[in-house]
Amino acid sequence: MTANAINGFLHAEKKWQNHQVNNPVTILVLNLMPTKRDTEYQFLTNFNRLDTDVTLTFMYPYSHQFKGTSRRAIEADYVCWNQIADRYYDGLIITGAPIEKLAFHQVDYFDELKQIIQWVIPMLSSSSMNAGPPKPDCFSTLAFKSTCCLTNYLAFSPPLRLTMSHRWPGGLAPGGF
């Protein structure tokens, strides 16, 4: 089927071609990776292989001070949580980030990440695929509401470790989770 980028660097640079979709699954991607373009491409390419139309909206943590991406570029081509907090998404993807050597208080967007996770819990707990309410210590990297065979839990207790329990068709999920 088809994966479309609602925004993001590849969309702005016209390096990803969107197509007509019918009743797509809407996925919000909190892209924490320093290689944002590569990460966008990996997600779009892998979602393009699924049997369901998908639209991806790329988000950034507003409170984060970026090192490899200019603030102006990220604000122009991504959304932040306060811009989309009144919208509904079928799923949330929180990408990994190379922060494993930092204490939680050193991660400048950690409080915002907790807010985003609290915001998405009602969407996930109403899912027909969900076997019960999200566990506070095990939430989801790939949290799908209405499609695929992925779990909706993501590790959220120290250390912050993003996990996934299923493989994608044809191999590992984008980025090799």
Side-chain angles (χ1 to χ4, degrees):
M1 296 299 264
T2 300
N4 283 342
I6 299 300
N7 63 344
F9 293 131
L10 297 182
H11 179 266
E13 296 163 359
K14 305 220 182 306
K15 293 182 178 177
W16 185 265
Q17 186 174 1
N18 285 339
H19 299 281
Q20 180 69 31
V21 293
N22 295 313
N23 197 26
V25 173
T26 58
I27 306 296
L28 181 63
V29 180
L30 177 57
N31 190 357
L32 303 174
M33 297 298 289
T35 55
K36 295 199 181 324
R37 284 170 183 81
D38 291 344
T39 303
E40 288 177 24
Y41 184 78
Q42 289 171 348
F43 277 111
L44 288 162
T45 300
N46 280 293
F47 274 112
N48 219 28
R49 296 177 185 153
L50 297 178
D51 294 333
T52 303
D53 288 334
V54 177
T55 59
L56 298 175
T57 300
F58 294 97
M59 179 171 70
Y60 72 99
Y62 185 79
S63 55
H64 184 47
Q65 299 301 313
F66 298 94
K67 292 182 181 129
T69 305
S70 79
R71 169 70 64 177
R72 183 185 311 165
I74 199 84
E75 287 178 351
D77 298 327
Y78 274 52
V79 297
C80 61
W81 180 68
N82 66 0
Q83 293 173 306
I84 53 88
D86 62 343
R87 298 183 195 163
Y88 177 86
Y89 292 89
D90 294 308
L92 169 67
I93 298 171
I94 301 172
T95 67
I99 60 170
E100 64 275 358
K101 295 182 180 168
L102 297 177
F104 287 133
H105 71 276
Q106 292 177 297
V107 179
D108 58 7
Y109 57 85
F110 190 68
D111 288 336
E112 185 177 358
L113 178 62
K114 290 188 296 187
Q115 279 185 302
I116 292 166
I117 289 172
Q118 289 302 313
W119 166 74
V120 79
I121 285 174
M123 288 185 226
L124 297 177
S125 62
S126 66
S127 167
S128 61
M129 289 185 64
N130 191 357
K135 300 172 187 173
D137 63 333
C138 187
F139 202 89
S140 161
T141 309
L142 294 174
F144 277 96
K145 182 162 174 10
S146 62
T147 187
C148 301
C149 57
L150 304 174
T151 63
N152 54 350
Y153 296 110
L154 142 81
F156 188 57
S157 61
L160 182 60
R161 192 175 333 149
L162 306 180
T163 62
M164 187 178 94
S165 69
H166 278 357
R167 292 180 178 263
W168 285 54
L172 291 175
F177 301 2

